[in-house]
Amino acid sequence: MSDGAALAGPDGGPRCPWALSAPEYVAYHDEEWGRPVHGDDALFERLSLEAFQSGLSWITILRRRPGFRAAFADFKIASVAAFTDDDRERLLADAGIIRNRAKIDATLANARALTEWSPGELDALIWSHAPDPAGRPAPKTLSDVPPVTPESTALSKALKKRGLRFVGPTTAYALMQACGLVDDHLETCVARRGA
């Protein structure tokens, strides 16, 4: 049983232990998680998927991501904002995604809200909450990685104030981790930036 420290991956290199339970996780961990993501549509996708993940394992979302992208028009904000009641019913019947009515409704409402924002405004708002990396020591074990931070709480409040839903502090922190606002790869992990 791991103590939360990095473990040897398929190639022998040390990795965050959560990344080793499935091949999809290894690829996601090595190539995506913690790497900077910019662009309103790209961040809308990550925000939406983190909301769908709430209460579920991330592997469930990762395995269904192609289905989510197909169902939600590649998460193009303008396209999703134009979805009709018929689209909503289609989504509720789509076995390729998580058919949670509240999360589907939040995704549609968030897209509509975001059409009122200026281009680049979502990107700027999210990235304005990135903490100074110099003030964050590299985590040595998983127990050093918090579920929520003051920055994620502030980001959650800022997004909610602007009308977005399903963006609690834990979801906001997961977004910050996934999109590279913070680097929570363990200190000895091969995927840690600058490692």
Side-chain angles (χ1 to χ4, degrees), residues 3 11 13 20 36 42 75 78 82 87 99 111-112 122 124 147 150 179:
D3 62 359
D11 61 0
L20 301 174
F75 290 96
D87 289 306
R99 294 174 287 183
R112 291 180 189 121
L122 177 62
C179 294

Side-chain angles (χ1 to χ4, degrees), residues 150-166:
E151 294 88 359
S152 76
T153 300
L155 175 57
S156 170
K157 287 180 182 173
L159 292 168
K160 287 178 180 177
K161 185 176 181 182
R162 297 292 306 274
L164 300 191
R165 295 161 37 186
F166 262 96

